[in-house]
Amino acid sequence: MSAEVTPAQRIAILGSTGSIGTSTLDVVARHPGRFEIAGLSAYQRVDLLAEQCARFRPRVAVVPTEERARDLRGRLAQAGVATEVRAGAAALSELAAADDVDAVMAAIVGAAGLAPCMAAASAGKRLLLANKEALVVGGALFMRAVEQGGALLLPIDSEHSAIFQCLPEDRDTWSRRIDHIVLTASGGPFRTRDPATFVDVTPEQAVAHPNWVMGRKISVDSATMMNKALEVIEARWLFGLEPDRIRVVIHPQSIVHSMVVCRDASVLAQLGTPDMRVPIAYGLAYPERVESGASRLDFEQLASLSFEPVDLRRFPGLQLAWDTLRAPVGTTAVLNAANEEAVAAFLDRRIGFAAIHEVNARTVDEMLGRLGDVATLDELIDLDRRARDVARRVAEGLAR
Ligand code: NAD
Ligand code: MG
């Protein structure tokens, strides 16, 4: 009699050198035999990517340019690693749809992750989505690709993982059972800072998040609360809920990761220490549960869990989530493009912190009425490009 051997789940990590990417490898490494790395990709950190290839031995590694591919090939040859190195955006989408890949961890930051996410969705992969911007830009088109491709879309964003964990498996019942959902937000580093001093905020202050260690872009988004705006839009698509059934509350401790308020007024919540390895492990093993490496909550040490309303005068960007969801299709993609450009300009010290919201609001206003057709991926990518042109011009006008 031979024992049943479950084959390892073969995983491609898009953006393996980032915060989510490295946390994913940390969880994978805890379960040899259960998970296997089929592919990795990185944008800049070729040195770290080479180390990851040496350790996890993927079939293929993808970098953006031929120059970086040569660099990586040199490093791998020296270390005696047989990983094939490929360059360019097409190689990224090919990896996401490859036959020897069961699951794709989408951990690229920004709209740059949209095309490979769509490729994974159309190829019917198990798609672990950290890359919220891809869904904010892709919207209904993204969800249609998931459905038509027969993909399994598993949210990695901690709030959306929390809600997903509170819901029954039969997604056809969600809209009926849910009254509304409540996304929790820490309030970021400036929850109590005097808004009159926001003009003086430096990039270093903005990326210093009180509870989470994350990439620079999402850290700035947390400081403006644009991260929560993107998450409201993300939730709209993931859970098929109308915008007015998605609410936000400030919860400074980041212990309650989000809540579902049911038809009968019962509230379901998911709790845990703020460690992204929890939602990552959940996505990797779903519907099983495996060790994540995160520490357990110690209820005897938990001083308090508090909640407070969001002050929209302090965080005006949050309102743009509902405004753009109610505007014509494509407006959320414009908001995302504007925000990516505004955050880049702020991190480069070209504009001030408070100007991020100005760029976003003005770009959305200016682009309304000239969104064009947004029925295909190419049309969305074109809209993203046009919105960035407008946002860069607006940012130049606000330069200090
Ligand atoms: P990060 O900046 O730490 O890492 C980004 C990764 O994407 C890196 O591997 C980088 O090489 C790659 N990358 C960057 N630009 C690219 C491009 N143009 N083309 C291809 N690859 C590119 O970011 P992160 O904090 O890991 O976040 C990744 C995504 O996950 C974001 O969408 C973020 O909103 C989401 N997310 C992150 C966290 C977190 O705790 N870090 C939590 C929830 C959601
Ligand atoms: Mg989140």
Side-chain angles (χ1 to χ4, degrees):
M1 224 172 77
S2 68
E4 279 276 328
V5 181
T6 315
Q9 189 185 150
R10 299 163 299 179
I11 299 161
I13 306 179
L14 314 180
S16 64
T17 54
S19 163
I20 294 289
T22 51
S23 293
T24 304
L25 287 171
D26 179 284
V27 177
V28 163
R30 289 166 194 276
H31 305 280
R34 183 170 196 126
F35 307 117
E36 206 173 273
I37 296 298
L40 297 173
S41 93
Y43 200 65
Q44 257 157 346
R45 300 269 328 260
V46 173
D47 54 338
L48 179 55
L49 183 59
E51 281 171 31
Q52 294 176 339
C53 289
R55 178 154 181 220
F56 292 93
R57 306 279 163 159
R59 172 181 61 79
V60 57
V62 181
V63 288
T65 61
E66 261 315 319
E67 191 189 336
R68 284 183 203 162
R70 274 195 298 277
D71 180 358
L72 182 59
R73 281 187 200 110
R75 290 170 192 263
L76 295 182
Q78 221 165 32
V81 179
T83 299
E84 177 196 352
V85 178
R86 304 203 46 209
L92 211 51
S93 290
E94 272 170 43
L95 169 59
D99 285 340
D100 67 348
V101 168
D102 303 309
V104 173
M105 167 57 84
I108 287 175
V109 56
L114 176 60
C117 278
M118 292 285 283
S122 300
K125 301 299 183 195
R126 182 185 179 100
L127 177 52
L128 282 59
L129 185 73
N131 183 196
K132 66 192 85 186
E133 296 92 346
L135 187 50
V136 167
V137 175
L141 191 71
F142 190 121
M143 295 308 287
R144 214 171 313 130
V146 167
E147 200 182 323
Q148 288 173 355
L152 174 62
L153 182 58
L154 295 166
I156 298 301
D157 218 343
S158 58
E159 296 78 1
H160 306 73
S161 174
I163 287 164
F164 186 74
Q165 291 181 53
C166 292
L167 291 173
E169 272 187 34
D170 181 2
R171 64 178 300 139
D172 294 339
T173 67
W174 289 356
S175 181
R176 196 173 76 228
R177 293 183 190 210
I178 299 172
D179 184 78
H180 64 276
I181 60 175
V182 183
L183 303 180
T184 51
S186 69
F190 307 139
R191 181 174 62 90
T192 56
R193 177 173 171 145
D194 178 2
T197 69
F198 278 4
V199 286
D200 307 322
V201 166
T202 64
E204 292 73 24
Q205 291 166 339
V207 299
H209 196 280
N211 305 344
W212 301 93
V213 181
M214 310 181 286
R216 283 160 66 79
K217 193 264 180 182
I218 183 176
S219 297
V220 175
D221 286 347
S222 297
T224 57
M225 276 193 80
M226 268 306 294
N227 182 50
K228 213 50 57 178
L230 299 175
E231 291 183 354
V232 167
I233 300 167
E234 184 186 13
R236 187 263 171 272
W237 296 113
L238 279 174
F239 305 115
L241 295 174
E242 302 79 45
D244 57 3
R245 293 168 74 189
I246 306 168
R247 301 186 192 163
V248 174
V249 69
I250 301 258
H251 167 49
Q253 298 85 11
S254 299
I255 299 290
V256 177
H257 296 307
S258 278
M259 299 172 271
V260 177
V261 182
C262 304
R263 281 282 174 224
D264 56 7
S266 180
V267 182
L268 304 174
Q270 185 259 349
L271 284 72
T273 44
D275 187 327
M276 285 307 292
R277 290 175 301 177
V278 178
I280 290 169
Y282 183 75
L284 284 170
Y286 174 86
E288 281 300 317
R289 296 268 183 177
V290 297
E291 177 58 47
S292 65
S295 59
R296 271 85 180 130
L297 264 187
D298 180 348
F299 285 98
E300 285 162 18
Q301 294 297 315
L302 259 187
S304 74
L305 297 177
S306 61
F307 300 90
E308 56 192 68
V310 183
D311 177 358
L312 285 174
R313 281 164 311 179
R314 176 184 293 276
F315 298 115
L318 181 58
Q319 181 60 38
L320 293 174
W322 292 276
D323 294 350
T324 55
L325 276 173
R326 291 185 186 117
V329 181
T331 312
T332 56
V334 169
L335 174 61
N336 179 72
N339 186 55
E340 287 192 33
E341 291 299 324
V343 171
F346 168 68
L347 285 172
D348 284 354
R349 298 173 207 277
R350 282 181 273 127
I351 63 171
F353 182 74
I356 296 173
H357 176 65
E358 286 299 307
V359 172
N360 293 347
R362 288 194 207 176
T363 303
V364 167
D365 273 353
E366 209 175 300
M367 289 294 293
L368 277 177
R370 48 194 185 99
L371 298 169
D373 290 333
V374 285
T376 66
L377 178 60
D378 286 345
E379 286 166 353
L380 268 179
I381 290 172
D382 182 59
L383 175 61
D384 173 80
R385 187 188 50 72
R386 286 185 289 124
R388 280 169 200 270
D389 289 344
V390 171
R392 273 196 291 269
R393 176 165 47 69
V394 175
E396 263 170 47
L398 294 167
R400 33 162 154 222

